[in-house]
Amino acid sequence: CVVLDVQAACRNATVTQELLKEGFHRDLLVKVELSLEEEDAGKCAVAVRTRLPPGIYVDPYELASLQQQNLTKAVLIPDVIDVEAPEYLATDLLVLLYMEPDPWCSHCFRAALPVHGRYHRPAEESEEALVVLKSPEVLVCCCDNRLSTVCWKPAEVEAPCSGTNNSPCQWYSVMHKPAYEQLILQVPVGLRQHSSLVCVVTVLATVLCSSLILAAVCKYGCFS
């Protein structure tokens, strides 16, 4: 796993990002620790807003299934995503990921989001493409509390709090100075020098399969 630790300049907030699993299908685990009092933390909703580059995406159908099971909660912008598009034809994706309280820490929050790598163009030398995930923005919505404008700045987020209130709330952005600004995802890619071999094998496999299908149709088919 690659870990991103962000030490906030105000209120000592900490953000940790980890990429779990290997290959194209990963889980992005995000943890947030805020210097809130225990009684205040229970009244606040916490989310992170992150921008995913074209090399990685969230499957909206998978996300909808997870949200029905209350396993995660997130808002995708845009909400219509071409999951088949390669990296060079895709666009950025903005994700607002709601955090859940960590049962082991009174002022900690965490959430996991399934992400998938897109296919990249074949490379000349390296068998891996690097996808850079920047540090997310931490957002807090304390509907019952007044937050200090020194450490908390109003954020333009059109989304409800994830607490008991479903109406739009005023979100605040936590001012922080990242120690490490990015997380690197390594996506497997093909090599250009293998293009001829791949084409030959593909054509042979297509001809063989087509021949088997045609032979089966001629042998077992019913022609009138």
Side-chain angles (χ1 to χ4, degrees):
C1 298
V2 183
V3 180
L4 172 66
D5 291 320
V6 179
Q7 298 296 331
C10 190
R11 289 182 180 259
N12 297 321
T14 303
V15 178
T16 303
Q17 287 191 132
E18 299 181 46
L19 279 171
L20 309 179
K21 302 180 181 179
E22 299 293 336
F24 283 91
H25 309 289
R26 314 291 289 270
D27 284 335
L28 177 62
L29 178 62
V30 183
K31 301 178 183 179
V32 175
E33 181 177 354
L34 295 174
S35 296
L36 294 173
E37 298 295 335
E38 184 173 355
E39 60 273 13
D40 293 335
K43 301 176 183 178
C44 297
V46 179
V48 293
R49 181 165 57 176
T50 183
R51 184 174 297 276
L52 300 182
I56 193 172
Y57 71 96
V58 176
D59 188 335
Y61 305 103
E62 180 183 19
L63 179 61
S65 176
L66 293 175
Q67 293 189 139
Q68 289 178 355
Q69 304 174 53
N70 293 324
L71 296 179
T72 190
K73 185 177 181 182
V75 177
L76 305 180
I77 304 173
D79 56 356
V80 178
I81 301 172
D82 186 356
V83 299
E84 301 294 337
E87 177 270 340
Y88 47 88
L89 295 179
T91 57
D92 290 355
L93 173 64
L94 190 63
V95 181
L96 179 66
L97 178 62
Y98 291 89
M99 315 294 288
E100 294 290 336
D102 191 333
W104 305 104
C105 178
S106 60
H107 52 276
C108 301
F109 303 82
R110 59 185 294 159
L113 183 69
V115 294
H116 307 274
R118 292 188 182 274
Y119 290 106
H120 289 62
R121 295 183 186 273
E124 293 290 347
E125 299 178 356
S126 176
E127 295 184 359
E128 292 180 329
L130 301 182
V131 179
V132 179
L133 298 178
K134 294 185 178 180
S135 173
E137 178 187 9
V138 180
L139 301 173
V140 177
C141 175
C142 300
C143 299
D144 297 332
N145 294 354
R146 291 185 177 181
L147 301 176
S148 171
T149 57
V150 176
C151 295
W152 313 84
K153 301 298 182 182
E156 296 182 0
V157 179
E158 295 182 0
C161 289
S162 58
T164 57
N165 188 359
N166 289 325
S167 61
C169 296
Q170 176 61 65
W171 289 90
Y172 289 84
S173 176
V174 178
M175 302 294 292
H176 64 275
K177 180 180 180 181
Y180 303 98
E181 296 186 354
Q182 59 190 27
L183 178 67
I184 304 297
L185 169 65
Q186 297 177 330
V187 180
V189 297
L191 297 177
R192 292 184 183 275
Q193 55 264 37
H194 296 163
S195 299
S196 300
L197 177 61
V198 172
C199 291
V200 171
V201 173
T202 301
V203 171
L204 292 177
T206 303
V207 172
L208 177 60
C209 293
S210 300
S211 301
L212 293 175
I213 295 175
L214 182 60
V217 171
C218 294
K219 183 176 181 179
Y220 301 105
C222 180
F223 302 95
S224 56

